[in-house]
C-alpha cells in the first residue's frame, strides 16, 4: 500500500479537466503558493507539472529549447515529440497532467516511485486533479462520504484496489502509472517496472562501478542546488 500522506500539503493545487470544453479543457483552478504547479501551453498541448526534472538539461538539448524553459514546457514538448511514451523520458519526481487537444485525451502520471502524489475525483461532468486530498474534498461537488469498504480492507491488511482511498469519490493515480482519460472512459496502465516481465535485468556493469564517487557527488550537487539541505541520521536497530 503506498504511503501517501494526504494531509501533508506544503504546496497544493487544484485543476480541472472538462472534456466538454474541447480545446481548453485543462485549467488550473487554484494553487498555494501560486507557483505550486507550473503550466505550459502549445498549439496542441496544455500541461500542468508539479515536481523536479532531474534530466531537464538533457531534455532541453534534445528538444532544442531555451535554457530557461519551464519543466512544464519541457514536458509539453516531450509529449509532442514522443507521444504517450513521453513519461518514460522524464527522470525525477513529479505529478503531471497533459491535455492533447488534437486527440481530446488527458494523460496523468506520477513518478515511478510515487514521491509526488496525484489524486482525482469525477464531479459534475469534470475530472478534478490535485496533489492533496484536502483540496479535492473542499470542492463543493466532491462529497466527503467515507469509503467503509476500504476502511474494512485496511483493517484486514487487504488492498484489492490500490487506487481507492478512504473517501468514496476520491481516487489516486498509482505510482509509475499513466492514466488516460477520453470520451470512452478512464484507463490506467503501468509505464515503469523495475523488473518488467519478459525483460532481462539491466544489472550494473563492472566497469561502471568505478563511477560511484562521481555519480554520488553529482547527486549531492543536484540536491544542494535547491537550497539548504540537511542529513538525517538514524540510531535505530535497523541502521
Amino acid at each position: 500500500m503506498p504511503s501517501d500522506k494526504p494531509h501533508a500539503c506544503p504546496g497544493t493545487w487544484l485543476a480541472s479537466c472538462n472534456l466538454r470544453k474541447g480545446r481548453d479543457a485543462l485549467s488550473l483552478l487554484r494553487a498555494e503558493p501560486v507557483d505550486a504547479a507550473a503550466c505550459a501551453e502549445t498549439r496542441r498541448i496544455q500541461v500542468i507539472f508539479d515536481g523536479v526534472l532531474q534530466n531537464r538539461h538533457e531534455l532541453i538539448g534534445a528538444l532544442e529549447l531555451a535554457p530557461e524553459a519551464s519543466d512544464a514546457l519541457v514536458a509539453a514538448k516531450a509529449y509532442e515529440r514522443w507521444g504517450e511514451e513521453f513519461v518514460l523520458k522524464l527522470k525525477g519526481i513529479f505529478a503531471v497532467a497533459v491535455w492533447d487537444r488534437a486527440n481530446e485525451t488527458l494523460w496523468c502520471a506520477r513518478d515511478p516511485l510515487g514521491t509526488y502524489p496525484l489524486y482525482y475525483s469525477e464531479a459534475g461532468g469534470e475530472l478534478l486533479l490535485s496533489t492533496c486530498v484536502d483540496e479535492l474534498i473542499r470542492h463543493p461537488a466532491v462529497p466527503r462520504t467515507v469509503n467503509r469498504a476500504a476502511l474494512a480492507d485496511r483493517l484486514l491488511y487487504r488492498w484489492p484496489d490500490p487506487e481507492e482511498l478512504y473517501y468514496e469519490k476520491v481516487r489516486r493515480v498509482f505510482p509509475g502509472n499513466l492514466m488516460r482519460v477520453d470520451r470512452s472512459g478512464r484507463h490506467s496502465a503501468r509505464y515503469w517496472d523495475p523488473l518488467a516481465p519478459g525483460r532481462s535485468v539491466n544489472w550494473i556493469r563492472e566497469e561502471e562501478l568505478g563511477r560511484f564517487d562521481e555519480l554520488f557527488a553529482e547527486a549531492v550537487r543536484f540536491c544542494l542546488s535547491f537550497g539548504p539541505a540537511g542529513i538525517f541520521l538514524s540510531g535505530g536497530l535497523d541502521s
Side-chain angles (χ1 to χ4, degrees):
M1 185 72 170
S3 58
D4 292 322
K5 298 179 180 179
H7 297 289
C9 307
T12 62
W13 50 268
L14 179 68
S16 166
C17 183
N18 191 332
L19 298 183
R20 292 175 297 185
K21 289 185 177 180
R23 178 174 176 82
D24 297 320
L26 185 64
S27 58
L28 187 64
L29 303 179
R30 184 168 61 249
E32 181 61 41
V34 293
D35 59 351
C39 301
E41 187 171 348
T42 69
R43 293 182 61 185
R44 177 185 172 187
I45 307 298
Q46 286 180 293
V47 171
I48 296 175
F49 183 93
D50 188 6
V52 177
L53 279 182
Q54 296 172 341
N55 65 332
R56 61 171 278 111
H57 296 297
E58 172 188 332
L59 290 174
I60 281 174
L63 298 168
E64 299 181 344
L65 295 173
E68 63 273 14
S70 68
D71 286 350
L73 182 58
V74 172
K77 292 298 185 179
Y79 179 85
E80 289 183 337
R81 170 76 65 87
W82 294 295
E84 64 185 87
E85 293 188 353
F86 83 106
V87 72
L88 296 173
K89 307 294 184 178
L90 307 182
K91 309 299 182 185
I93 54 176
F94 57 83
V96 61
V98 176
W99 171 248
D100 186 331
R101 290 164 168 153
N103 299 323
E104 295 192 346
T105 301
L106 175 72
W107 299 94
C108 300
R110 291 173 64 185
D111 60 85
L113 299 182
T115 303
Y116 267 63
L118 183 58
Y119 306 101
Y120 65 93
S121 179
E122 293 179 292
E126 61 184 333
L127 187 74
L128 298 171
L129 301 163
S130 181
T131 51
C132 181
V133 172
D134 286 352
E135 284 293 323
L136 287 173
I137 62 175
R138 286 193 194 107
H139 193 283
V142 179
R144 298 191 176 198
T145 310
V146 173
N147 188 341
R148 297 179 182 274
L151 285 172
D153 283 330
R154 177 65 180 87
L155 292 172
L156 295 171
Y157 297 98
R158 300 185 310 196
W159 296 276
D161 184 353
E163 289 192 1
E164 70 178 356
L165 295 174
Y166 301 143
Y167 292 100
E168 281 188 356
K169 298 301 182 180
V170 179
R171 297 175 66 82
R172 83 177 107 223
V173 177
F174 205 59
N177 273 233
L178 180 64
M179 181 174 75
R180 185 183 85 243
V181 183
D182 55 26
R183 297 187 185 277
S184 68
R186 189 178 65 248
H187 313 274
S188 293
R190 178 183 286 273
Y191 72 83
W192 179 85
D193 193 328
L195 297 174
R199 296 182 185 177
S200 60
V201 178
N202 186 22
W203 298 110
I204 188 171
R205 297 187 298 273
E206 186 172 353
E207 58 269 23
E208 294 176 318
L209 295 175
R211 296 190 60 209
F212 176 81
D213 290 345
E214 172 193 345
L215 295 175
F216 184 74
E218 181 181 337
V220 171
R221 284 194 300 270
F222 179 80
C223 292
L224 293 177
S225 67
F226 297 99
I231 297 177
F232 296 90
L233 302 177
S234 169
L237 295 176
D238 60 339
S239 297

